């Protein structure tokens, strides 16, 4: 919660405060991985969805091996190694303190 409240001017009315923290809770539960959940988001854990960190990965390194010993969890490469990727940055409700970070194939 400090990630949110230390970066905003706290509104005095309850309705305004709820409007300010609602996007934070949506981001926290849907987009922020948690070490306590082994890299899953709370929604992935609660709803039994396959965690994003266990899906096949995009691999920009041309000569990368299927299994990389330095990364955990070890996931296979989606398609071929050496693909071009772009970093896509979005925000929940346009709030810069609530980033959604994705890699997409170019």
């Amino acid at each position: 919660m400090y990630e949110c409240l230390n970066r905003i001017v706290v509104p005095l009315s309850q309705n305004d405060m709820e409007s300010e923290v609602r996007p934070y809770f949506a981001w926290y539960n849907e987009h922020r991985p948690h070490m306590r959940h082994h890299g899953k988001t709370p929604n992935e854990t609660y709803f039994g969805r396959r965690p994003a960190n266990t899906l096949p990965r995009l691999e920009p390194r041309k000569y990368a091996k299927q299994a990389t010993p330095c990364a955990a969890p070890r996931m296979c490469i989606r398609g071929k190694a050496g693909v071009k990727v772009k970093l896509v940055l979005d925000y929940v409700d346009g709030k810069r303190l609530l980033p959604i970070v994705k890699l997409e194939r170019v």
Side-chain angles (χ1 to χ4, degrees):
M1 189 67 154
Y2 71 90
E3 297 164 323
C4 174
L5 295 181
N6 282 349
R7 292 177 168 84
I8 65 168
V9 176
V10 177
L12 296 177
S13 80
Q14 182 174 346
N15 286 340
D16 290 344
M17 182 63 175
E18 288 174 3
S19 295
E20 193 66 44
V21 298
R22 191 173 294 114
Y24 169 76
F25 286 119
W27 170 81
Y28 184 88
N29 288 323
E30 185 61 32
H31 301 287
R32 185 181 182 277
H34 295 261
M35 292 303 298
R36 177 176 174 87
H37 299 290
H38 306 288
K40 299 179 200 175
T41 66
N43 282 356
E44 289 169 341
T45 301
Y46 182 78
F47 295 111
R49 296 193 318 236
R50 184 171 180 189
N53 68 346
T54 65
L55 297 172
R57 70 185 196 278
L58 292 173
E59 180 54 71
R61 299 172 296 172
K62 189 168 187 153
Y63 299 106
K65 297 180 177 154
Q66 250 330 313
T68 53
C70 61
R74 293 187 178 119
M75 301 313 303
C76 62
I77 296 172
R78 180 173 59 190
K80 294 183 178 182
V83 298
K84 293 189 181 207
V85 296
K86 68 178 177 177
L87 179 72
V88 178
L89 187 58
D90 197 7
Y91 305 97
V92 174
D93 287 355
K95 295 180 182 288
R96 294 184 62 90
L97 63 105
L98 304 176
I100 302 169
V101 180
K102 295 180 184 178
L103 280 180
E104 292 181 357
R105 187 183 304 259
V106 176

